[in-house]
Structures are given as structure tokens and as C-alpha cells.
């Protein structure tokens, strides 16, 4: 029993160790790891997240006029109690993961693959389900990179979606 | 110090992490709606084959909102049960096994919003769920050594990758992270900017060397290991306060008793 446990946990640790590299085999292995048994221990290293992604959308109305860009999210600054309780991080992490994936797919495989990705569908599904005026018949979204705590930062346009006509 | 009492300490802290994490998810449960940011309707398309099997066993509906909330409530209750069982010295295998199983399902469902704290907590639960089946001194010791090795890998990966990066060593990344609202903090940024460059370099290098020291803390004699652990607690407390990563404090703090125990075993202080 002891030996089988040592083999089991020893193998798991070796797989986790190999999983920290960015090699082809590590990525292949991780693509099958749907239950996250191989963790990612890189934590902001070597390249941390240095920008805040903002998701904005606009609508096309029946008169073919486009509305202004709207950011559907408002995240207030972290409070003093965030070291105990901070549920907003789940929204932020989800949004960030989806946007990072779209950005990565767009730069590696191009726009056509990015618009067919699950992350793109995920954001589109969220935006299409928001309450919109009856007159709106199409939706487009864009991703902007900012540094919210830095007024000198020049906002960058990262991605603009297609127009989507189904509501 | 018996391995069983150390494992109880680890599991009590992890149960607190599970309570905070599931309560936070429940308070943000809108995220799981079909119209939410982690809608199962869309996210299940990532696993077409698996979804077909889930459909076969009518499990797709269980992962949909509002049914999925039951898993979160269950995780909350099972975490409380684990603490209750530890206090009353009842056998832990069943609530622990169930908690590990529920956690795996939640990790699978919430893959877009998981972080390292959830992954560490899952690893701790699965490890003990397996080792508590056998419930021998050796099986529990193996669990504690494995968790020490896993945390050591986590800190070493993060620490050395930062150490080899010039922008981490000179503090550039710390300032840039603080400029974001997702992981930064406007007040701390203003404070650090006033204290000039040296403060930034000190903070950045404190993070790097704290990570590296924590990676090898279990190799030190117990009293020095304890000192490094105290630094580790301050590091995670700081990260929670500045970055809002509150659950890391619990999930990595949970591994510290295992660290201390391993150090005691190495130096024969049992």
C-alpha cells in the first residue's frame, strides 16, 4: 500500500513539475486535463498581467444609427475587507480569461478562428443577453486595453468583433 | 506532533478556504446563468464528447443554473462537516471524499474563473481523500510530504521565474501591476511612488526571495522553517490586501503545517 501511494503521488508530482514548462508535450498533456490536476504555478511570472481589459459594445438601431460604445461592467476599487471577502474577483478573472484567449487566438491563428472560439461565443452570449432597447437589431463589441490606475496610459484597441444580427 | 494532528490542521484551514470560496461563488451566482459570463450552455461546447456522456446521464442539467448552486451549497456544508468531524474526532473519509468529488466538479465547471488557490485546495482535498482511505500513519505522512513537495514546486516555479526576469528584479513589474485595477491598488501605488525607486526594488525582491525561501523552507531546522513560514503568511496577507487574492492566504497557508512537519521529520524532532 505504502509503495503504491508513493508511486501514485510521485508520478503526480513529476507530471506537475513537467506541466510548469511551456513545452509542446506539457501543453498537450494540459489540454486533456479538464479537472485541473496539473496546476499552473507560474503566478505572475515571468510576465504578469500589466493591463486591464475592457469589454465594450454598441448597437445598431432600426434607423441604421450606431449607439455609443458602452462598458457593461463596473468594478469598484477594492475595499479594505478584500483580504477576507472579494467575490468580484470571479467576474474579473472570467472576463480576463475569455479576453486573453481571444487575443491569443487572434494573434496566433487569425481573426476567423478567434470569432469561432468558445471564448468569443461566451462574451457574445453575455452581451446579447443584456437588456437592450427594442429598436436595436445588431451588436458589435470591442476589447480595449487600459491601465485603470494610470491616467497617462494610452488606451489600445485590441480587438473589434463582427456585427451580429441575431438577438 | 502526530501526522494525524498535522493533517487535521491542514484540513481545517482548507475547509475555511472552501467555505470562503463557495460563499463568494454563491454571492456571485449570476455568473452561472445561461445569460451569465460562465454559462454552461456555451462553455459545455468546449467538451463535445464529454457533454454527450453527461447528457446520457442527465448531468448536463445538473451543471446548469440554478441546479449548479446545489453543488456550491453542498461544498459549503461539507466543509463545515469536515471541521465538525475534526473537532469531534469522527472518521473523516466520507465527508472528505465527497468534498473532494464536489470540488473536482466545481473546478471543471468554473474553469474560466479558477485560480491557483482553487487548484491548491483541490490538490489538498484529493490527496487526503486518497490517503484517508488507508488511514495509517504512513499514508498520512505520504500525504503531508506530497503537499510539501507540491507547495515547494509552486513557490520555486514562481520564485525562480521572477528571479531570472530583469523587470521583476528592478521592480518595474510591481509598479506596472499596481497601475492596473484588476490586481493593483491606487493607494499603494501613490504611497510607493512617493517613497521612490528603492521601495519598489525592496518590495519586488522581497516577493522573489520570499517565494524562493518558501520553496526550500522545509529543508531548514524547524525553528528557522517557522520563521520563513511567518514571512510567507505576511507575503500572502499583503497579496490579499493589495491584489484581492484572498483565498490564496488560506489554501497556501494550509500547507504550512505540512511544511513544518516535514522539517521536524528531517531533523528528527518528532
Amino acid at each position: 500500500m505504502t509503495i503504491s501511494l508513493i508511486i501514485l503521488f510521485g508520478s503526480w508530482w513529476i507530471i506537475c513539475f513537467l506541466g510548469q514548462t511551456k513545452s509542446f508535450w506539457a501543453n498537450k498533456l494540459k489540454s486533456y486535463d479538464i479537472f485541473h490536476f496539473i496546476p499552473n504555478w507560474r503566478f505572475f511570472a515571468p510576465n504578469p498581467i500589466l493591463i486591464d481589459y475592457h469589454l465594450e459594445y454598441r448597437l445598431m438601431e432600426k434607423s441604421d444609427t450606431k449607439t455609443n460604445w458602452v462598458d457593461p461592467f463596473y468594478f469598484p476599487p477594492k475595499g479594505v475587507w478584500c483580504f477576507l471577502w472579494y467575490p468580484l474577483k470571479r467576474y474579473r478573472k472570467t472576463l480576463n480569461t475569455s479576453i486573453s484567449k481571444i487575443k491569443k487566438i487572434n494573434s496566433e491563428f487569425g481573426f476567423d478562428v478567434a470569432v469561432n472560439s468558445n471564448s468569443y461565443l461566451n462574451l457574445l452570449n453575455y452581451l446579447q443577453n443584456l437588456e437592450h432597447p427594442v429598436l436595436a437589431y445588431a451588436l458589435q463589441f470591442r476589447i480595449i486595453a487600459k491601465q485603470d490606475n494610470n491616467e497617462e496610459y494610452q488606451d489600445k484597441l485590441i480587438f473589434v468583433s463582427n456585427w451580429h444580427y441575431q438577438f | 506532533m502526530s501526522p494525524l494532528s498535522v493533517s487535521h490542521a491542514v484540513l481545517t484551514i482548507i475547509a475555511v478556504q472552501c467555505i470562503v470560496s463557495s460563499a463568494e461563488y454563491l454571492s456571485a451566482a449570476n455568473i452561472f446563468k445561461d445569460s451569465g459570463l460562465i454559462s454552461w450552455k456555451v462553455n459545455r461546447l468546449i467538451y463535445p464528447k464529454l457533454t454527450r456522456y453527461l447528457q446520457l446521464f442527465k448531468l448536463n442539467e445538473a451543471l446548469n443554473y440554478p441546479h449548479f448552486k446545489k453543488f456550491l451549497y453542498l461544498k459549503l456544508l461539507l466543509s463545515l462537516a469536515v471541521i465538525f468531524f475534526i473537532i469531534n474526532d469522527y472518521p473523516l473519509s466520507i465527508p472528505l471524499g465527497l468534498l473532494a468529488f464536489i470540488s473536482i466538479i466545481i473546478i471543471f465547471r468554473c474553469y474560466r474563473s479558477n485560480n491557483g488557490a482553487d487548484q491548491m485546495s483541490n490538490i489538498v482535498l484529493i490527496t487526503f481523500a486518497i490517503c484517508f482511505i488507508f488511514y495509517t500513519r504512513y499514508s498520512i505522512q505520504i500525504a503531508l510530504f506530497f503537499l510539501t513537495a507540491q507547495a515547494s514546486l509552486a513557490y520555486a516555479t514562481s520564485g525562480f521565474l521572477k528571479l531570472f526576469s530583469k523587470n521583476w528584479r528592478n521592480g518595474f513589474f510591481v509598479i506596472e501591476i499596481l497601475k492596473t485595477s484588476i490586481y493593483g491598488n491606487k493607494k499603494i501605488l501613490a504611497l510607493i511612488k512617493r517613497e521612490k525607486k528603492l521601495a519598489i526594488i525592496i518590495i519586488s525582491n522581497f516577493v522573489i526571495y520570499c517565494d524562493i525561501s518558501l520553496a526550500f523552507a522545509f529543508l531548514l531546522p524547524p525553528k528557522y522553517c517557522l520563521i520563513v513560514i511567518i514571512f510567507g503568511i505576511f507575503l500572502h496577507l499583503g497579496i490579499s490586501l493589495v491584489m484581492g487574492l484572498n483565498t490564496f492566504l488560506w489554501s497556501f497557508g494550509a500547507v504550512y503545517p505540512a511544511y513544518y512537519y516535514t522539517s521536524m521529520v528531517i531533523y528528527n524532532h518528532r
Side-chain angles (χ1 to χ4, degrees), chain A residues 122-141:
Chain A
N122 200 46
L123 295 183
L124 184 64
N125 173 64
Y126 174 77
L127 293 172
Q128 285 190 327
N129 280 293
L130 293 173
E131 279 195 23
H132 299 298
V134 189
L135 292 174
Y137 75 98
L139 181 147
Q140 185 182 37
F141 70 84

Side-chain angles (χ1 to χ4, degrees), chain A residues 87-99:
Chain A
L88 270 182
K89 70 172 175 288
R90 300 297 182 180
Y91 285 98
R92 302 207 69 162
K93 180 77 202 301
T94 311
L95 192 63
N96 220 58
T97 309
S98 297
I99 290 176

Side-chain angles (χ1 to χ4, degrees), chain A residues 13 39-41 43-44 46 52 78 83-84 86 89-90 92-93 97 118-119 122 125 147-149, chain B residues 24 34 37 42-43 112-114 118-119 149-150 162 168 173 176 178-182 184 243 246:
Chain A
W13 190 87
N40 176 9
W41 296 139
F43 301 140
F44 301 95
D52 294 303
K78 292 182 207 77
F83 74 102
L84 286 176
Y86 189 53
K89 70 172 175 288
R90 300 297 182 180
R92 302 207 69 162
K93 180 77 202 301
T97 309
N118 190 272
S119 299
N122 200 46
N125 173 64
Q147 275 190 333
D148 291 342
N149 295 340
Chain B
E24 282 186 341
D34 268 356
L37 269 178
V42 175
N43 280 272
R112 279 183 206 278
S113 58
N114 290 327
D118 300 309
Q119 292 178 5
Q150 198 60 253
K162 285 180 183 120
W168 266 106
F173 279 154
E176 292 302 304
L178 286 171
K179 285 177 184 170
T180 67
S181 67
I182 183 165
M243 305 177 89
N246 55 337

Side-chain angles (χ1 to χ4, degrees), chain B residues 18-47:
Chain B
C18 291
I19 292 167
V20 175
S21 163
S22 23
E24 282 186 341
Y25 265 130
L26 281 166
S27 81
N30 280 345
I31 211 168
F32 300 112
K33 284 185 177 173
D34 268 356
S35 57
L37 269 178
I38 329 180
S39 122
W40 183 238
K41 189 176 78 178
V42 175
N43 280 272
R44 70 183 177 195
L45 301 175
I46 299 174
Y47 323 103

Side-chain angles (χ1 to χ4, degrees), chain A residues 132-161:
Chain A
H132 299 298
V134 189
L135 292 174
Y137 75 98
L139 181 147
Q140 185 182 37
F141 70 84
R142 68 177 182 181
I143 295 162
I144 308 275
K146 296 180 184 182
Q147 275 190 333
D148 291 342
N149 295 340
N150 179 12
E151 283 154 17
E152 290 159 22
Y153 188 85
Q154 286 254 292
D155 298 357
K156 286 177 194 143
L157 180 65
I158 301 281
F159 184 86
V160 182
S161 80

